[in-house]
Amino acid sequence: MVRRVIVLLLLGIVLGLQPYEADFLMFDQDGDQMLKYDELRAQFPTQNPYNTADFVAQFFLDYDSNGDKIIEFKEYSAKREQQKLELEQQQKSISSMYHDDL
């Protein structure tokens, strides 16, 4: 798994993959540009404490914007971009709190 991640990240740099495409491909085991519930669930080892139906179900609730039980790359990248913007906003808010105190 680690080797696959490294290879995908390097390919992303060399091939100029879109943002988030390398990590999406890490989960997309059959390469069809779609994440299915069973495909994602199978990637978590059974001894992993996060390997629960609830975790994968919540992931699908968060990322499957059209509710078709398949996460396409455009849905995945849109959600990741939204998360990135939310994090940046939180960081700015925290930063401004500390700068206001100075």
Side-chain angles (χ1 to χ4, degrees), residues 37-38 40-60:
Y37 180 87
D38 291 335
L40 186 61
R41 177 111 167 104
Q43 293 184 49
F44 293 95
T46 56
Q47 64 272 22
N48 185 332
Y50 300 108
N51 186 22
T52 66
D54 290 341
F55 173 79
V56 177
Q58 185 62 52
F59 186 88
F60 267 77

Side-chain angles (χ1 to χ4, degrees), residues 6 12 20 22 39 46 49 55 77:
I6 292 170
Y20 315 117
E39 182 178 32
T46 56
F55 173 79
S77 62

Side-chain angles (χ1 to χ4, degrees), residues 62-63 74-84:
D62 291 343
Y63 284 84
K74 64 182 178 180
E75 292 172 304
Y76 181 80
S77 62
K79 181 64 176 181
R80 291 292 308 272
E81 191 62 29
Q82 176 190 357
Q83 291 171 334
K84 176 184 168 192

